[in-house]
Structure formats: structure tokens, C-alpha cells
Amino acid sequence: NTCPLCSFLWLAGAVLTFEFHLCISFHMWRGRLRLRPSPFQGSLAAGAVVCSFGFCTSGQWGFSFPAKDRQNSSVWGAFRSLVRPYPVALCEAGKETGQEGVKDEVLGVVFPRKLSVMTAAWQKPVEHVYVGSAPRCMQDACWFPPARAYSLGLYLKDEALKEADAKSADRNATTFFDDSVEKSLHFVFVSKKDSTHIKDGFERSLGKFLAKGEETASKQLQQFVAIIKRLEFRMGAELTVTFVPSPDHPKTIVMFKPSPEGEQTVMGNIEGNALRVAFHKLYLLPGEKGTYKYPSMTKKFIADLEAGSPK
């Protein structure tokens, strides 16, 4: 069935996407993305989103030429690359994948229920348990493909969760998000990113939570960004940062997997507290004014934690 109106809306949306992309991508890395569409542009965008729900349920696109021709059409391929990712994410929202993992509600990334991580040299990997996940998109504009950066999974030490469950204690963020609890942040990148861009982002964001003029803290951050700079962030690349609290030897262990099918490698072991605490303040803990650096992400982690791990 052909929907001329839907065809028009999607074609108009593709043109507007191309129009915005030139200026938006230029400012995105500086964190200055501001979307201020005109009433006409806003109407087209709203109509396209409404029609996308129809596509989700019916599986039909508003184009009259056959499916075989669509697949072989270079025009169709280019158009689909602009507009299809968002409807697909909407269609797949909230789905779970049985024993294999849990799917991110927005970007469609599948997180394993248990993550094998290294916490010490010359020892066997330990398992951290999935607690929640949240998407990271520039200005929270996850509907816009170029704005999507990564999906972040939060994992906690299995023993900590079991102990709380055995006591029938509430899973609250105050207890588990504290930097005294062993945990991992598992980054899954949803598009190819330049390593320098990722390095600069981490250096700028984490640097705000380090004590100014403290040489030890600065050295830990530089160790971390040096690791990031030499990595290649393709679509599907996985970066795991594990935080091991210890009165004597606190540390941050960095692991990397170039692709879902690749092999995970330990990239570095950074001794000290400063970097570990900075990561907690960036993603999990409130600042001095009681606000979060990334409110949508932290609140999603809190909601997932309080709801309990998926059964």
C-alpha cells in the first residue's frame, strides 16, 4: 500500500536532515548544538515521526516501487541511511533478548547480563552484573543519527548485589553508586568516531572533576587519554572501564574490544583514586549543587537499579 503523504514527509525530512547536517556537525564537537526549527520544519518533522509509528506496525514504506528495486536503488540506499535508523530504534524499543542480554531502549545495543572483567594482574576474570544502561547523544538528540555517540552499560560486582538481595535491602543509588563499590562502565559505540574526538571529550569532561594543580590527578587523566588516543572506535567497538576500590591500591582498569566479534584486551592499569572518583562524578554522583552532569543518563541508571536487574 502506498502512502503519498508519508512519501512526501520522508523525502522532505531527508532534505531537511541534509540541510541541518552541514551546520550541526560543525558545532557538535564543541557542545553548541542548538536545534531551532521553523514552524514549517517542525511540522514536517512531527509528521515524519507520526508516520514512523505506522511503519513500525505495518512494515510498509510509503514508496510505490517494488522491494527488490528499493534494495538495488542507490537513491533509496542513501535515503534509508538518513531516515531509517530512528524508526528502527522506535520499533525495537524495550525488547529483551532472552539469555543473551538486555537491549538498550533507545539505541538498540544489546548488553550481556554478565560481564567478565579483570580486577588484578595474573588473576582470573571476575563477573560484574548488569544493572542498567543509558544512551549518550549530543544534547540528548538521539532521534538524529549524527548526534548518537554510545550506549553505556552499568555493571556492579556480583557479590555486592547478592549481599543486598539476601538482606532484602533496597537497591538504592546512594549505596551502589558510591565509589567504594566495585563496578564497571561498559561503553558501546554506535557509530564510527575519531579517537582524537573521544580523547578530547573525556579529557575535558573528566578534567572538571579533578583537583586543580594536583599533579597526581593530572597524571592519571593523561594516562587514560593516552590509551584512548591509540584506539580505533568503529561501530560496535566496546570500551570497558573497571573501578577497583582498595584502601591501599585503588585502580582503574581499561579494556577494549574493537568489534563485537573481536577479542577483549587489557589496555592499561591506572593506579590511584582521582580518575576513579572523577568517572563516578561524571556519570553517577551529583555535584556540589546536587545536579548531575548528564541528568538523563544518571536518572536512567537509578531507575534501572531500583527496578532490579532483569530476570
Side-chain angles (χ1 to χ4, degrees):
N1 297 326
T2 301
C3 171
L5 176 59
C6 293
S7 301
F8 167 75
L9 287 170
W10 278 114
L11 285 171
V15 172
L16 291 174
T17 300
F18 179 76
E19 173 191 343
F20 291 156
H21 182 271
L22 296 178
C23 63
I24 290 175
S25 59
F26 178 76
H27 295 289
M28 189 172 296
W29 69 276
R30 301 181 68 184
R32 296 180 179 178
L33 175 59
R34 296 292 186 273
L35 298 180
R36 298 176 181 175
S38 67
F40 174 71
Q41 293 169 333
S43 299
L44 287 176
V49 171
V50 171
C51 285
S52 71
F53 283 99
F55 296 143
C56 286
T57 56
S58 66
Q60 299 290 334
W61 289 86
F63 293 88
S64 59
F65 44 89
K68 182 177 180 181
D69 293 337
R70 290 204 301 265
Q71 295 174 358
N72 296 330
S73 169
S74 59
V75 175
W76 167 256
F79 170 72
R80 182 176 57 182
S81 68
L82 288 174
V83 301
R84 187 167 183 177
Y86 184 56
V88 168
L90 289 174
C91 293
E92 296 179 347
K95 290 185 178 180
E96 295 189 7
T97 58
Q99 297 299 319
E100 298 176 1
V102 183
K103 181 172 289 187
D104 179 292
E105 297 177 353
V106 178
L107 300 182
V109 173
V110 177
F111 288 95
R113 296 177 185 276
K114 292 187 177 182
L115 187 69
S116 293
V117 300
M118 297 295 295
T119 57
W122 311 109
Q123 292 185 10
K124 292 182 179 180
V126 299
E127 287 189 337
H128 283 186
V129 180
Y130 173 89
V131 169
S133 60
R136 172 71 179 122
C137 303
M138 187 64 67
Q139 300 293 321
D140 286 335
C142 291
W143 57 269
F144 186 59
R148 302 170 189 169
Y150 53 80
S151 187
L152 180 58
L154 173 62
Y155 289 78
L156 297 181
K157 188 177 181 179
D158 195 12
E159 287 78 3
L161 289 172
K162 287 180 178 178
E163 182 179 350
D165 292 342
K167 296 179 180 179
S168 298
D170 292 334
R171 293 186 175 188
N172 61 80
T174 303
T175 300
F176 290 105
F177 287 5
D178 189 80
D179 60 77
S180 63
V181 178
E182 184 176 298
K183 62 178 65 66
S184 293
L185 292 177
H186 186 60
F187 300 78
V188 180
F189 291 83
V190 296
S191 61
K192 184 177 181 180
K193 298 294 181 182
D194 180 69
S195 60
T196 301
H197 174 79
I198 301 297
K199 178 194 77 71
D200 291 344
F202 275 126
E203 189 170 22
R204 182 173 58 250
S205 300
L206 292 169
K208 296 178 181 179
F209 299 102
L210 298 177
K212 294 183 178 180
E214 187 177 332
E215 185 177 347
T216 302
S218 177
K219 182 178 179 181
Q220 291 176 34
L221 178 58
Q222 292 307 312
Q223 285 181 274
F224 177 73
V225 297
I227 293 172
I228 297 300
K229 189 175 181 179
R230 67 175 188 260
L231 301 178
E232 187 173 354
F233 293 93
R234 300 176 181 175
M235 179 184 293
E238 301 176 11
L239 175 70
T240 304
V241 186
T242 298
F243 311 106
V244 182
S246 171
D248 302 318
H249 301 288
K251 53 193 169 185
T252 301
I253 299 176
V254 183
M255 291 162 280
F256 185 69
K257 196 175 180 181
S259 67
E261 300 78 22
E263 182 177 348
Q264 182 169 268
T265 304
V266 176
M267 304 303 301
N269 181 2
I270 304 171
E271 299 282 347
N273 256 327
L275 180 65
R276 192 174 61 85
V277 173
F279 262 106
H280 281 75
K281 292 181 177 179
L282 179 61
Y283 290 108
L284 301 174
L285 300 177
E288 296 179 356
K289 298 182 179 180
T291 58
Y292 298 109
K293 172 64 177 177
Y294 301 125
S296 62
M297 297 184 74
T298 307
K299 290 178 180 178
K300 176 62 166 54
F301 288 141
I302 294 174
D304 287 347
L305 175 66
E306 293 177 347
S309 297
K311 304 301 181 183

